[in-house]
Structures are given as structure tokens and as C-alpha cells.
Amino acid sequence: MRKDPAIHRVVVLALDGVMPFELGIPGRVFGSALSPGGEPLYEVVTCSLDGGPVRTSLDFAIVADHGPEAIATAGTVVLPPQAPAGDDGCGLPPDPPAGLAEALATMRPDARLVSLCTAAFQLAAVGRLDGRPATTHWATSAAFRRRFPAVALDPDVLYVDDGDVLSAAGAAAGVDLCLHLVRRDHGSEVANQVARRCVVPPFRDGGQRQFVERPTPDALAATTGPARAWALEHLDRPLTLEQLAARAHISVRTFSRRFREEVGLSPHAWLTQQRVERARQLLETTDIPIEGVAALAGFGTATSLRQHFSRAVGVAPSAYRRSFRTEAAVAA
């Protein structure tokens, strides 16, 4: 059944009414992750609860090559969302099918469990999210909170990583989460290569808040996009809110409000996020000392870098470098 037991196996569990777009995300993202020698880093297989055909939310069915026994062989299990026929995917999903809890109980203790979009409802219903942080599509967050008060729901983020249990928000956030897992497993360089192959951004700004339905802004209103682009080219500088607002040709107050509307984060939080990402890249691909990385990423001091990096990534910069140094950096 297994092609290569050394390759991380991702098992995608298709339930009745599965949404085809999300069903294909793990295969597209993980399947594009290659080693420096061009070897696949993941094996992605699809299974169903009974090994038979599965109806999708569109006008066709699929036939998975595997039954529930594949779940016990997985390093990562991904559950895409379900929707009734004709639903746009923003409605409430059906109750979990019989056998879901039992199938998930066969997972290895070290395996990861991932929900995409409203599949978080199914995981919560079978008790896999009790007492844990999670997210789901913003349009269903109120219903989720009422139904599952034991889950620490965060409806504002694109995805939640709680170690061995992860959840993504809407459809495209499933791409973000899978890229995050590639980055977590193999570093930013591999994840960036996957993003280029899939023609998607390797890291999206902000959270779900920017996608929540709101009145359409004036078409003539200034955007913060040019200011963000300029900031990314000058992250090594001590950027101020006044400088960014001036780049957008609007007041500081208007800039702050519009920035949060467009990005879902405050300017300060966004700058810190981008600086951490710049530090990641420098730590992986260069031999620059920690003090130099701190300066180039705009943190100023190694102490500031360590504090922000550890808070965002979970490990110190030096430990991250030891884990994710690329072959190119070692050879440099």
C-alpha cells in the first residue's frame, strides 16, 4: 500500500458532500513539495469511510483509492469541508457521519489532524477540539460558538496551529495552512518554492477580518497597498506610522483605520509579522550572525529579535537556524 515509508504520508478523508476545491488542496500543495534533489517530500492519498464512492457538493462523485484503513498509516490526516448540493460553502455543514470518530481514533499518536473551513464542525462534534484553539469560516463562527462552547474559537485568523491539531478558515486559507505545514516541516525555502509552483503568495497578510462582508469602500479612496509595498523594501529601517501614512497621502488616523480594514491587523502587528518572516528567510539562507539578522529585519537588537521571533515561531532564532538551514546556506 505504501510507496515509501520514509516519506510523510498525508491522508485526505473525503466525506459525503465534500467540496472539490478543498479536497484538492492537500494534493496540490504537499504534492508540489520537493527536496533539493527533486524527490517528493510527501505522499498524498485520498480515502473514504467505507472505501466506496463519495458524492461531492457539485454534480459529480469521486472514487477514492483507499478506505478508512489508510488513516492509521498517516503522518497527517486532512478533513475537507462538506456542503449540501448547491450550497456555496458558507452554510452550516451536516452532522458528522457514523464512523468518523472511530476512524479518527485509529490515527497514530504522533499524527497531525487538520480541518479545512467548516470541517472544524465535524472535529468539534466528535470531541477532537475540546479545550483547544481552532478556527472556521467567519460566516459560521457564531453558530460554531453556540454549538461548541468548549472550543477556543478564533474567527479572525486564517488558520490555527495547535501542534498536532490544526484548522483553517475559508477555502483559500486551506492553501495557507498547508503551506504553513510545509514551512514547519522543511523551512521557508521549500514552502516558497511550493507557493511559486502553485502561483500563490507564500504568506498572506492579516486574518479573516479583512474578508468579512462590509460596505464597499469608495473607489476613489486611497489604499494602504503602496505603503505596505514600500515598507517591505525598507524593513531594516525604524519605520513610523507617520511615514507610512505619508506614503498613502492620508492622515495617520485614517491610515490606521483603513490599514486594519484592508489587512486585518494593526500597522504595528503587520510590521512585526513581516520582520519575523524576513528573519526566517535570513536565518535559513545566510550565515549572517544573529545581530546582523536583527538589524536587516528591522528589530534593531538581537534581544528584540529573540523576543519577537520566539513569540511568533515558538523557538529561538539560533534553534530555528539549526533546524532549517538549507543546503545552499551550508555551502555558502
Side-chain angles (χ1 to χ4, degrees):
M1 186 176 183
R2 297 295 304 274
K3 290 183 178 179
D4 183 349
I7 297 177
H8 187 103
R9 171 174 264 205
V10 178
V11 173
V12 184
L13 174 58
L15 302 179
D16 193 48
V18 66
M19 302 186 71
F21 178 83
E22 287 88 339
L23 177 65
I25 287 174
R28 188 68 181 92
V29 176
F30 292 114
S32 298
L34 304 175
S35 71
E39 298 298 321
L41 295 171
Y42 300 90
E43 177 194 8
V44 184
V45 302
T46 305
C47 75
S48 64
L49 281 179
D50 60 5
V54 175
R55 182 185 59 82
T56 72
S57 61
L58 300 180
D59 60 345
F60 61 88
I62 63 165
V63 179
D65 285 345
H66 304 279
E69 68 281 354
I71 294 174
T73 70
T76 299
V77 175
V78 181
L79 187 65
Q82 306 161 265
D87 189 273
D88 64 0
C90 295
L92 297 180
D95 292 333
L100 176 61
E102 292 77 8
L104 295 179
T106 67
M107 290 175 56
R108 299 190 330 230
D110 61 339
R112 302 181 297 212
L113 181 58
V114 177
S115 69
L116 304 183
C117 196
T118 56
F121 278 77
Q122 276 76 9
L123 293 192
V126 296
R128 300 302 290 253
L129 297 181
D130 286 353
R132 307 193 70 151
T135 193
T136 189
H137 195 286
W138 62 265
T140 64
S141 60
F144 188 98
R145 274 206 176 105
R146 289 193 300 270
R147 192 176 299 182
F148 307 111
V151 181
L153 184 72
D154 186 347
D156 292 334
V157 297
L158 294 176
Y159 57 81
V160 168
D161 180 348
D162 193 36
D164 60 338
V165 176
L166 304 93
S167 51
V175 177
D176 297 315
L177 178 52
C178 289
L179 281 172
H180 166 74
L181 282 172
V182 174
R183 187 180 301 112
R184 191 174 112 176
D185 292 343
H186 301 287
S188 295
E189 189 65 22
V190 173
N192 291 347
Q193 290 172 357
V194 171
R196 285 194 289 271
R197 292 189 182 102
C198 296
V199 198
V200 297
F203 187 83
R204 276 201 296 166
D205 300 334
Q208 284 199 81
R209 192 177 303 161
Q210 61 189 307
F211 303 109
V212 176
E213 292 178 350
R214 55 171 60 90
T216 303
D218 184 350
L220 298 178
T223 174
T224 63
R228 296 199 304 273
W230 178 81
L232 290 176
E233 295 177 357
H234 301 87
L235 284 178
D236 57 327
R237 302 183 184 182
L239 303 176
T240 67
L241 190 55
E242 289 75 14
Q243 287 175 305
L244 296 175
R247 285 277 162 179
H249 306 290
I250 52 180
S251 70
V252 169
R253 182 177 179 181
T254 300
F255 179 85
S256 298
R257 174 178 55 79
R258 195 159 294 158
F259 194 101
R260 187 175 287 276
E261 289 174 350
E262 294 179 359
V263 178
L265 294 172
S266 70
H268 175 75
W270 179 83
L271 276 173
T272 299
Q273 186 182 75
Q274 301 310 312
R275 284 177 165 144
V276 168
E277 188 62 20
R278 176 68 54 82
R280 278 182 188 261
Q281 296 168 356
L282 292 170
L283 290 167
E284 292 179 20
T285 61
T286 75
D287 289 318
I288 298 172
I290 298 298
E291 292 77 7
V293 171
L296 290 172
F299 287 112
T301 67
T303 299
S304 179
L305 168 63
R306 292 187 186 100
Q307 291 174 344
H308 287 95
F309 195 91
S310 298
R311 187 178 302 120
V313 182
V315 297
S318 56
Y320 184 86
R321 171 171 270 171
R322 286 193 297 270
S323 297
F324 291 116
R325 283 285 294 276
T326 64
E327 291 186 3
V330 172

